[in-house]
C-alpha cells in the first residue's frame, strides 16, 4: 500500500469525522484570500488550506528533485500538472509527511500554521487550472439508453456506434466556472411542436447533468496517440461536474452536428482536484463491455472508481436542499483511460489543464438518474419537492448541489461540492 493512503494516518490538523478532506486525500486547487492578494495553488486539509506558494518559498519542497523551483508560483496548477506522475507523487509524499501528526517540523511550529494554513472559509476557491480545451463524453449506458427511449423508442435506444466507442463532443472551455458561480438562464432558439417557426426565448427546459471530469497532466505530441495502457499517467485527478443543459434549445439545434448553444453557457466544476493516487484504493471494475472493444480500447485491470454521488436541489421556498438523485461513478461504461485513448487515437494532442467530462452518470434504478430529463421523464412525471412543489426542469432561484465521496476504512476521500444557483435570463 502507498503509505500516503494508510487508513491509520492522522494529521496534526483537526479533521472532523466524515470530512471530505482527511490527510489521505490532499486534493489540489487554486485559491485567493478574501482579504485580497494574488491567486495561488493550495492543498485542502480538513477545514484549512495549505498555501503551496508560501510553502515553496519557505523551503518546504527542498530535496524534491522533480519539482523545479517556482512550480507553485503561478496562479494556476498547469506547470505542476505538466510535470507528470513522478513529480506528483514526490509532492504528495512531502505534503503527507509535513501534515502528519507528530511531524516535528510543522506540528510544533506555530509560524508554520500562521503563515501556511488558512481557513477555507477565508479564501475563495477558483478554477484549479487554465482550461485550454474541454471535451464532454457520453459514457453512461443507462443515461444514453434512457434518452434514446424517450426520443427514439425502446427498440432504437442506443445508436449502433455507442457500444464500440466513447461518444463525445467538444465543449466550450471559456464558460467552465468553479462551484458557487451563479448560472444565468440562457436565451436560445427553440421550436415548440405547435409553432410554425422557431422562437428566441429564455430556455424553458433548463437541466443539470451529474458528471465527473478529469484534468490532463502531461500532454502528447501531435500525431502520437496515447495508448490506453498509458492513459492514466496523463491524468492528474478528478473533479465533480455539472454540465448545465438547455434541453429545448438542444432538441432544435442538435441535428446534424450535436449540441452547441444549448451547452456552451456554463459548466460548473468542483474546485478541489482529487488525485488518482488518492483514489487508488477505490478502483473497481466497471460494467462488462459487450461486444469487446477494438484492441486500442481494451483496458487491463479495473478502470472505474467507486465514487458515491448525490444531487441535491433547493428552491427559493425550501429551507434546506433535498436529495433527488444518488448514483455512482462505477456505472460509467467507458473508463477515463478509454475516453482519453479514443480522444487521441487520431493523433489529437491534449495539453496540461485540459478538461474531460464523463457525460451524465445514471444508474440502474430511477433514483440514480443523473438529470431532470430522466428523473421527470421528459416532463411527464413531475418530481415532488418538500412543501408541495414539483419540478420537471429547473426554475429561477433553484440551487443544484452535487457531492461525491469514496468511503474508506474510517475516513472519506471526498470532492467537496459542485454548486450553482439559477439566475433569471437577462431582459
Amino acid at each position: 500500500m502507498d503509505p500516503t493512503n494508510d487508513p491509520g494516518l492522522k494529521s496534526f490538523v483537526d479533521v472532523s469525522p466524515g470530512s471530505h478532506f482527511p490527510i489521505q486525500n490532499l486534493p489540489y486547487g487554486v485559491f485567493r484570500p478574501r482579504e485580497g492578494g494574488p491567486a495561488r495553488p493550495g492543498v485542502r486539509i480538513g477545514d484549512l488550506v495549505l498555501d503551496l506558494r508560501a510553502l515553496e518559498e519557505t523551503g518546504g519542497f527542498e530535496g524534491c528533485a522533480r519539482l523545479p523551483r517556482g512550480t507553485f508560483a503561478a496562479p494556476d496548477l498547469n506547470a505542476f500538472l505538466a510535470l507528470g506522475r513522478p513529480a506528483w507523487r514526490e509532492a504528495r509524499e512531502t505534503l503527507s509527511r509535513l501534515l502528519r501528526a507528530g511531524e516535528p517540523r510543522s506540528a510544533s511550529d506555530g509560524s508554520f500554521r500562521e503563515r501556511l494554513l488558512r481557513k477555507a472559509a477565508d479564501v475563495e476557491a477558483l478554477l484549479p487550472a487554465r482550461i485550454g480545451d474541454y471535451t464532454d463524453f457520453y459514457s453512461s449506458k443507462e443515461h444514453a439508453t434512457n434518452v434514446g427511449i424517450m426520443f427514439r423508442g425502446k427498440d432504437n435506444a442506443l445508436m449502433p456506434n455507442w457500444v464500440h466507442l466513447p461518444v463525445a463532443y467538444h465543449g466550450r472551455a471559456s464558460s467552465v466556472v468553479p462551484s458557487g458561480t451563479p448560472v444565468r438562464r440562457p436565451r436560445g432558439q427553440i421550436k415548440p411542436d405547435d409553432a410554425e417557426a422557431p422562437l428566441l426565448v429564455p430556455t424553458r427546459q433548463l437541466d443539470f447533468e451529474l458528471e465527473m471530469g478529469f484534468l490532463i497532466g502531461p500532454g502528447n505530441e501531435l500525431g502520437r496517440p496515447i495508448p490506453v495502457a498509458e492513459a492514466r499517467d496523463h491524468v492528474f485527478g478528478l473533479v465533480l461536474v455539472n454540465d448545465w443543459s438547455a434541453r429545448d434549445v438542444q432538441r432544435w439545434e442538435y441535428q446534424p452536428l450535436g449540441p452547441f448553444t444549448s451547452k456552451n453557457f456554463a459548466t460548473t466544476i468542483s474546485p478541489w482536484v482529487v488525485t488518482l493516487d488518492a483514489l487508488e484504493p477505490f478502483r473497481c471494475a466497471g460494467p462488462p463491455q459487450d461486444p469487446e472493444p477494438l484492441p486500442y480500447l481494451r483496458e487491463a485491470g479495473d478502470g472505474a472508481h467507486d465514487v458515491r454521488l448525490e444531487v441535491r436541489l433547493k428552491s427559493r421556498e425550501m429551507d434546506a436542499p433535498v436529495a433527488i438523485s444518488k448514483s455512482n461513478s462505477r456505472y460509467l461504461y467507458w473508463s477515463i483511460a478509454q475516453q482519453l485513448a479514443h480522444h487521441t487515437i487520431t493523433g489529437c494532442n491534449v495539453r496540461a489543464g485540459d478538461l474531460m467530462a464523463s457525460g451524465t452518470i445514471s444508474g440502474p434504478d430511477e433514483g440514480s438518474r443523473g438529470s431532470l430529463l430522466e428523473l421527470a421523464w421528459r416532463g411527464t412525471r413531475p418530481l415532488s419537492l418538500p412543501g408541495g412543489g414539483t419540478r420537471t426542469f429547473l426554475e429561477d432561484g433553484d440551487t443544484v448541489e452535487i457531492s461525491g465521496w469514496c468511503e474508506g476504512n474510517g475516513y472519506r476521500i471526498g470532492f467537496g461540492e459542485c454548486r450553482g444557483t439559477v439566475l433569471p435570463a437577462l431582459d
Side-chain angles (χ1 to χ4, degrees):
M1 175 190 289
D2 181 341
T4 63
N5 295 328
D6 185 346
L9 276 184
K10 300 294 181 184
S11 173
F12 69 83
V13 173
D14 185 21
V15 178
S16 61
S19 169
H20 281 205
F21 307 112
I23 193 170
Q24 291 85 358
N25 192 347
L26 303 182
Y28 291 84
V30 171
F31 70 95
R32 179 186 293 118
R34 293 195 184 277
E35 72 270 17
R40 56 191 58 218
V43 159
R44 185 72 183 263
I45 173 76
D47 293 329
L48 302 178
V49 177
L50 175 62
D51 186 332
L52 292 181
R53 178 184 294 183
L55 178 62
E56 185 177 56
E57 290 172 350
T58 58
F61 293 107
E62 288 181 1
C64 294
R66 297 180 176 88
L67 292 176
R69 186 180 297 275
T71 295
F72 297 111
D76 54 61
L77 288 168
N78 290 62
F80 181 53
L81 268 56
L83 294 177
R85 189 163 305 285
W88 304 338
R89 286 182 171 164
E90 188 174 49
R92 177 174 168 81
E93 291 165 1
T94 299
L95 294 169
S96 177
R97 186 174 62 254
L98 285 173
L99 291 167
R100 222 166 278 179
E103 167 61 28
R105 181 177 177 184
S106 50
S108 59
D109 185 351
S111 64
F112 179 94
R113 302 188 185 210
E114 183 177 344
R115 290 192 59 191
L116 304 181
L117 290 171
R118 296 173 175 267
K119 293 181 181 179
D122 294 338
V123 306
E124 177 188 5
L126 308 173
L127 287 177
R130 284 180 287 107
I131 300 172
D133 282 295
Y134 167 49
T135 302
D136 190 31
F137 284 86
Y138 194 51
S139 295
S140 165
K141 190 174 186 179
E142 288 82 2
H143 172 68
T145 300
N146 288 337
V147 174
I149 290 172
M150 285 183 226
F151 291 95
R152 292 185 298 274
K154 191 172 183 179
D155 292 340
N156 299 299
L158 284 182
M159 299 299 283
N161 65 344
W162 200 93
V163 293
H164 294 279
L165 57 85
V167 175
Y169 76 96
H170 290 291
R172 182 70 182 172
S174 64
S175 53
V176 178
V177 296
S179 177
T181 305
V183 173
R184 179 74 63 181
R185 181 179 296 273
R187 290 179 176 273
Q189 193 177 126
I190 69 171
K191 186 181 181 300
D193 292 336
D194 58 355
E196 294 184 2
L199 310 171
L200 179 64
V201 295
T203 177
R204 300 166 182 174
Q205 297 182 350
L206 183 61
D207 203 355
F208 69 85
E209 291 188 347
L210 169 63
E211 306 190 21
M212 296 203 70
F214 59 93
L215 286 176
I216 295 297
N220 59 308
E221 293 180 22
L222 182 64
R224 291 185 177 273
I226 296 174
V228 67
E230 300 174 15
R232 291 176 67 91
D233 288 335
H234 292 264
V235 176
F236 176 65
L238 275 60
V239 294
L240 302 172
V241 176
N242 181 353
D243 198 31
W244 305 83
S245 182
R247 300 293 184 187
D248 45 0
V249 177
Q250 183 173 348
R251 181 186 175 193
W252 173 239
E253 75 175 1
Y254 83 103
Q255 296 189 38
L257 296 180
F260 180 39
T261 63
S262 58
K263 305 280 286 184
N264 69 2
F265 58 95
T267 299
T268 304
I269 69 171
S270 54
W272 301 105
V273 189
V274 179
T275 64
L276 289 192
D277 284 334
L279 292 169
E280 185 63 26
F282 306 97
R283 283 182 69 174
C284 61
Q289 295 184 330
D290 183 27
E292 185 179 29
L294 292 176
Y296 80 98
L297 288 172
R298 293 175 192 168
E299 183 178 14
D302 295 337
H305 296 95
D306 184 11
V307 182
R308 304 181 188 189
L309 299 167
E310 182 175 281
V311 182
R312 297 182 293 271
L313 176 65
K314 181 183 180 300
S315 71
R316 286 182 291 196
E317 294 75 30
M318 294 165 57
D319 295 328
V322 61
I324 59 173
S325 176
K326 295 184 179 182
S327 193
N328 196 300
S329 68
R330 70 189 305 167
Y331 296 142
L332 287 169
Y333 187 89
W334 296 106
S335 73
I336 60 176
Q338 290 173 316
Q339 291 169 32
L340 185 55
H342 181 66
H343 197 302
T344 63
I345 192 59
T346 59
C348 171
N349 56 320
V350 296
R351 296 169 293 188
D354 285 356
L355 174 66
M356 315 280 171
S358 63
T360 305
I361 303 172
S362 294
D365 57 73
E366 292 185 11
S368 60
R369 293 171 177 171
S371 66
L372 276 174
L373 178 68
E374 297 165 89
L375 289 167
W377 204 254
R378 204 181 176 188
T380 62
R381 307 171 192 169
L383 193 70
S384 297
L385 298 178
T390 61
R391 285 293 182 276
T392 53
F393 292 99
L394 296 171
E395 297 184 6
D396 294 345
D398 285 351
T399 297
V400 178
E401 301 175 354
I402 296 175
S403 184
W405 66 93
C406 305
E407 200 68 46
N409 182 15
Y411 69 99
R412 283 182 173 181
I413 298 294
F415 292 79
E417 193 174 79
C418 177
R419 176 173 49 83
T421 299
V422 179
L423 300 181
L426 293 174
D427 294 333

